[in-house]
Amino acid sequence: MSRWIRNTFILLFIAVIFISLACYSILYMSLPQLNGEQKVPGIHHSVSIKRDAHGVPVITGSSRSDVAFATGYLHGQERFFQMDLSRRNSAGELSTMFGRVAFDFDKQQRRHRFRKVATEAIALLPPEQKAILSAYTNGVNAGLEALHTKPFEYWMLGLKPKPWKMQDSLLTVFSMYLELNDSKGKIDETKGLIKTLSSQKILDFISPEKTRWDSPLIADGYQQQPIPNKDEINLRSEPSDFYANLTGKLIPDGYLGSNNFAVSGKVTTTGHAIIEDDMHLGLRVPTVWYRTQINYPENIKQPNGKQVRVTGVTLPGVPNIVVGSNGHVAWAFTNSYGDWVDLIKLKINGNEYYTNQGRAKLDTWYDTIDIKDEPSVEVKYQTTHWGPIKPSSLTTDTFATAWTAYNPKSTNLNMLELEKANTIKQAIAIANKSGIPPQNFTVGDDKGNIAWTIAGILPERDNVDSRLPIPYQLADKHWENLLAKSEYPKIINPQNNRIWTANARVASGNDLAKLGDGGYALGARQKQIRNALLNIKHFNEKDLLDVALDDRALYMNHWRKIILATLTQTNLKSHPERGAFLSYVQNWSGRAEPNDVGYRLVREFHDTLNMTVIKSIGRYLLKHSDSQVKDIPDSWIQGANHEREMLLRLYQDKPMNWLSPQYKNWDQLFLKSIDKVITQLSKQYKVKPVEALKLATWGSRNTAEINHPLSQALPIIGSWLDMPHIPLSGDSYMPKAQRPTAGVSERMIVSPGHEESGIFHMPGGQSGNPISPFYKDGFNNWANGTDSPFLPGPEEYHLVLLPEH
């Protein structure tokens, strides 16, 4: 028996060794070639690719098309699986890869018809852009083909990679539209239901358009909304048991957002502008961006003449530098949160819908969704002349979705022209005609000028309040034309020599009316950035890094004050756990630091208290509903936008008509919320309350979860594919915005003309292959906020692509 056990163990050991060797062999064979020469089809002249020790390439070619080919070649070798997911995400084609589990998602995505829109948009591109996109596409496929074996993910899934197409690059852009825009119209729906169940006054209080936190570039007035009285809303008119068993879960802060800011040459040590950019997105492995420097002649007929050199990040799937510097101009993005998606409330009769011109037939179309290892499924869709039909998630209403992304004119490759821009005025003109999800565009040049505008194709808005679903009778004139470029909002060289954006409201007055309100972030983060910039007299790159890494808890301090006022000596008597809670809160660092217990307790109190009040209000409003409202959780008003401003007003003013009768006063609710936090932490850590509080550091909640999409499919070793699971500083309402799965996808601080002093961070490396030395490279600098250079370092590897002919 022992011999049998021993032999079995030996066989298992041999099998493990064999499987490990096979896996390593696949990974090794799918590594890209770093040195030497490689003949490829599709380029006209040789292209040099020099990588530094971190795998950052410097691409030098004789034409923009050859450089695009080389960029695609690198993307195809280092990031093809990431690109594949991106195109399939917006096209609704993930079921082919993952099977039935992705079917419902694909079914939802197909209604956008983004493959069709991509084809139409490519037909509108000028010949020069088509040539660059074609070269890039050829490069992707050549790079993939040059690998000795397919990327490891395709071995895991038992699939063969499908070649890249030109349309797929625009599908990659559409995936960014989906991530950056409210494609489901959730905010409009929620606001509409609040108004239907109450009044405009109550909606304006629950979801105020402007708040105390606003810091637009041009200051405007803020008038605090009055708190509706008990004749307008009175939660205490219902018995206590009406509020029993409240339902719903906390939705993570939806606006982790992005930061960018600029200072003019008048306040810098060099006289050149400095730009800072933190693009906050969902974090994953490999990272969203791919660092690149490209070099090519400005005039192809003069190969030895003036050279274009651009350093920054590319988005695998598209050929251009997304943010970066060309030596004369540096530019950066944050999401604008203007109103680019509107819901139109339909009236449908059979197969027809009503318009101002009478009835029109619904356009019915069918699409076939291929499912891995299962028969394909045909799905029926319907659309209107405004856009595709979408059933409400809250009521029995039916909407048409109008979205700028559906217009083929809204997506193009005009951003390529930024590579040759020499001044901020040239850059602004290019940004205004660029076909991307509309972004705050912050730009500075080597002459010290700075500016802000919107990059993207914008609709010309009418006077309809499109923050709510639009009645079909008012919809025809809405978005009838595109906004003229001369009408785009822009601010050039402001008197204070500073520009700041952080997803909150940037525009004022008529400019705000042009952009609309698509759900601006609460402005606490943006205001903290503005104030920090105004407090610094002269800047270098390190000064802007300090602003970007600011994790002071100024916003959360309001909840700390509530705790300190609540835990009186009377409430502490015979409650040692409350005393320990108070001690940690009193002695907090005032920052979202990983080892800070006090900050964690304040944050938990904030979340617990907010959810209790939101659920109570949500249930009260739903009592006025009829059969047209679906069975939705009591926490539904979380999607209203700016509801946290309403909550803080309630806690500070304590109006009794907004308090559930489960509590005799607001102070009792505050105390019970503290007790609930203590109980929840005790259960989480499975120790007594006082001991649990010692363990409840911020870092134990805010631990990095930057994972590869397939790591969960590999027991034990899957975590090897992920970035390190380390505690992180930062939180949502401060410049250093950071959650476990979302945060700074890249950080760039650069002065055009002084790129050698620039700073760059990214939460991972260049490669998508886990045995590559570039896989996790850079993560620690990102996590610790350590200075790391913007420019590529000295050459370590050199690959030359040669034409086949």
Side-chain angles (χ1 to χ4, degrees), residues 25 129 150 161 198 271 303 322 398 420 476 527 542 634 667 757:
S25 176
Q129 292 183 13
K150 60 189 178 183
S198 56
V322 177
T398 301
K420 298 181 181 180
D476 277 337
K527 189 173 185 177
K542 184 63 169 62
D634 297 314
D667 292 335
S757 301

Side-chain angles (χ1 to χ4, degrees), residues 135-208:
Y136 174 82
T137 301
N138 292 335
V140 172
N141 292 322
L144 183 64
E145 184 67 25
L147 295 175
H148 293 296
T149 189
K150 60 189 178 183
F152 77 94
E153 293 94 344
Y154 295 95
W155 285 98
M156 289 182 62
L157 295 169
L159 297 171
K160 181 181 179 180
K162 290 188 175 182
W164 195 255
K165 299 179 181 179
M166 291 174 64
Q167 291 88 342
D168 296 335
S169 290
L170 295 197
L171 287 171
T172 300
V173 178
F174 289 134
S175 276
M176 295 305 292
Y177 273 99
L178 287 162
E179 183 158 2
L180 298 172
N181 293 174
D182 182 16
S183 62
K184 298 179 181 178
K186 174 71 177 195
I187 294 175
D188 290 4
E189 268 202 74
T190 305
K191 287 177 181 285
L193 183 55
I194 292 172
K195 183 178 179 181
T196 297
L197 300 179
S198 56
S199 66
Q200 184 67 50
K201 183 178 180 181
I202 291 174
L203 170 61
D204 290 341
F205 177 67
I206 292 177
S207 180

Side-chain angles (χ1 to χ4, degrees), residues 527-638:
K527 189 173 185 177
Q528 192 163 329
I529 291 170
R530 180 202 67 178
N531 292 346
L533 292 174
L534 293 176
N535 285 332
I536 300 172
K537 301 304 179 185
H538 293 91
F539 296 85
N540 59 29
E541 289 82 354
K542 184 63 169 62
D543 294 318
L544 294 192
L545 177 61
D546 290 341
V547 175
L549 297 178
D550 181 8
D551 59 3
R552 290 175 299 151
L554 304 184
Y555 175 77
M556 208 57 63
N557 191 45
H558 290 277
W559 276 260
R560 177 175 179 264
K561 290 178 180 178
I562 296 171
I563 293 171
L564 297 179
T566 300
L567 291 177
T568 62
Q569 288 301 314
T570 300
N571 288 332
L572 294 177
K573 187 177 295 186
S574 302
H575 287 280
E577 74 285 358
R578 291 179 183 171
F581 192 102
L582 175 62
S583 178
Y584 285 119
V585 172
Q586 285 175 327
N587 294 294
W588 80 335
S589 66
R591 297 177 177 274
E593 294 181 344
N595 294 324
D596 197 319
V597 172
Y599 181 80
R600 166 78 182 276
L601 298 183
V602 173
R603 187 58 153 96
E604 297 287 354
F605 172 74
H606 164 276
D607 294 350
T608 299
L609 176 61
N610 286 358
M611 280 305 295
T612 300
V613 177
I614 281 174
K615 289 179 182 180
S616 299
I617 296 171
R619 179 166 292 188
Y620 175 85
L621 293 177
L622 287 174
K623 81 164 191 169
H624 297 285
S625 67
D626 53 28
S627 59
Q628 291 186 339
V629 177
K630 295 179 179 178
D631 184 15
I632 56 178
D634 297 314
S635 59
W636 63 277
I637 66 170
Q638 281 184 98

Side-chain angles (χ1 to χ4, degrees), residues 211-447:
T211 76
R212 73 185 86 177
W213 308 104
D214 289 349
S215 56
L217 293 176
I218 297 177
D220 58 3
Y222 158 62
Q223 185 173 358
Q224 196 174 66
Q225 294 292 333
I227 300 178
N229 62 38
K230 67 179 182 179
D231 295 327
E232 297 164 300
I233 182 171
N234 188 4
L235 272 67
R236 304 181 80 80
S237 64
E238 299 293 334
S240 294
D241 58 7
F242 175 79
Y243 298 98
N245 303 315
L246 295 170
T247 61
K249 297 180 179 180
L250 177 71
I251 300 174
D253 308 312
Y255 298 98
L256 195 61
S258 302
N259 308 329
N260 70 28
F261 35 98
V263 291
S264 83
K266 292 181 179 179
V267 291
T268 66
T269 56
T270 63
H272 294 215
I274 308 177
I275 301 294
E276 196 281 344
D277 187 47
D278 289 357
M279 290 194 287
H280 300 156
L281 297 166
L283 302 180
R284 51 187 178 266
V285 177
T287 59
V288 176
W289 311 105
Y290 185 84
R291 299 180 65 182
T292 311
Q293 183 185 103
I294 60 174
N295 300 270
Y296 61 93
E298 183 171 332
N299 186 338
I300 194 172
K301 295 180 180 180
Q302 298 176 356
N304 297 320
K306 182 179 178 182
Q307 298 290 302
V308 174
R309 186 182 84 162
V310 191
T311 308
V313 297
T314 59
L315 175 65
V318 293
N320 57 283
I321 301 288
V322 177
V323 297
S325 177
N326 66 12
H328 301 289
V329 168
W331 66 94
F333 292 132
T334 64
N335 199 22
S336 62
Y337 285 102
D339 192 3
W340 321 126
V341 180
D342 282 331
L343 298 181
I344 297 162
K345 188 173 180 179
L346 298 177
K347 180 180 178 181
I348 295 177
N349 186 347
N351 198 38
E352 296 180 326
Y353 66 102
Y354 284 77
T355 74
N356 272 344
Q357 289 74 42
R359 297 185 186 184
K361 283 191 175 183
L362 291 167
D363 180 18
T364 301
W365 56 284
Y366 297 85
D367 208 346
T368 300
I369 299 177
D370 294 328
I371 305 173
K372 183 182 179 183
D373 299 328
E374 291 188 29
S376 301
V377 176
E378 187 178 70
V379 181
K380 176 182 177 181
Y381 297 92
Q382 291 184 308
T383 188
T384 68
H385 71 284
W386 296 301
I389 284 181
K390 169 197 174 304
S392 170
S393 61
L394 302 176
T395 70
T396 58
D397 290 332
T398 301
F399 301 112
T401 305
W403 187 8
T404 56
Y406 295 151
N407 186 341
K409 296 178 181 179
S410 293
T411 307
N412 57 48
L413 299 181
N414 288 340
M415 274 182 58
L416 287 164
E417 297 178 29
L418 285 170
E419 297 170 5
K420 298 181 181 180
N422 291 316
T423 68
I424 59 167
K425 289 188 177 180
Q426 291 175 358
I428 287 170
I430 295 165
N432 293 161
K433 65 179 184 178
S434 292
I436 60 173
Q439 300 289 292
N440 289 310
F441 181 80
T442 298
V443 61
D445 66 23
D446 57 355
K447 300 172 185 64

